[in-house]
C-alpha cells in the first residue's frame, strides 16, 4: 500500500469530493440519507462527519488494500482524463491535487460503518504501479 495523500479537518458541509480536476459530474441523483458515497464517471461525493461533530480524516492510497477495522461502503470505477485526482470540500477547507499512476481505476471506499464516517479510506487500484 502506498499513501497518495492524507488530511484531517472539519468539513463544514459533511462532504468530501474526490474528482478529476475540472469534473462536471453533478451527482443530482445522490441521496446522502441512503448512500454514504455516490459515484460519477470521474468523481465521488462522500459523506463524512460534519464540522460540528468534529474533524474527519481522509486517506487516499494505492491498492490493492483493505484497511482493517473499516467497512467497504462503495466499489466502482473511476476514469480520470489525466492521472490526477483532486480531493476537496465545497468550502475548500481542503484542496489536494494528487498525481496517481492510472487513468482507469477500480475505486473502493471504506468507512467506519456510520452514515457520516469520521475516517474514510479511498483505495485506487489500476493496471500499473509506480
Amino acid at each position: 500500500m502506498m499513501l497518495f495523500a492524507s488530511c484531517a479537518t472539519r468539513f463544514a458541509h459533511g462532504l468530501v469530493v474526490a474528482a478529476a480536476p475540472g469534473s462536471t459530474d453533478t451527482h443530482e441523483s445522490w441521496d446522502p440519507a441512503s448512500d454514504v458515497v455516490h459515484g460519477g464517471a470521474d468523481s465521488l461525493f462522500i459523506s463524512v462527519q460534519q464540522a460540528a461533530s468534529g474533524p474527519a480524516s481522509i486517506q487516499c492510497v494505492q491498492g490493492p488494500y483493505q484497511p482493517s477495522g473499516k467497512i467497504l461502503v462503495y466499489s466502482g470505477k473511476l476514469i480520470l482524463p489525466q492521472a490526477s485526482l483532486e480531493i476537496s470540500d465545497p468550502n475548500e477547507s481542503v484542496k489536494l491535487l494528487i498525481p496517481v499512476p492510472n487513468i482507469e481505476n477500480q475505486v473502493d471506499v471504506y468507512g467506519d460503518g456510520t452514515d457520516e464516517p469520521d475516517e474514510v479510506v479511498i483505495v485506487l487500484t489500476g493496471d500499473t504501479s509506480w
Side-chain angles (χ1 to χ4, degrees), residues 58-108:
I58 309 299
Q59 286 187 335
C60 184
V61 303
Q62 185 175 18
Y65 177 68
Q66 184 175 354
S68 63
K70 301 287 182 271
I71 296 168
L72 181 66
V73 294
Y74 177 83
S75 185
K77 293 281 185 196
L78 198 59
I79 310 294
L80 305 169
Q82 300 175 10
S84 62
L85 184 70
E86 185 175 279
I87 295 178
S88 63
D89 73 308
N91 284 358
E92 293 190 355
S93 301
V94 169
K95 188 170 185 176
L96 303 171
L97 183 60
I98 308 162
V100 297
N102 298 287
I103 290 173
E104 294 187 25
N105 297 276
Q106 169 65 36
V107 62
D108 297 314

Side-chain angles (χ1 to χ4, degrees), residues 6-9 11 16 48 55-59 70 117-121:
S6 179
C7 66
T9 193
F11 292 93
V16 171
V48 295
S57 68
I58 309 299
Q59 286 187 335
K70 301 287 182 271
D118 62 354
E119 293 181 22
V120 170
V121 180

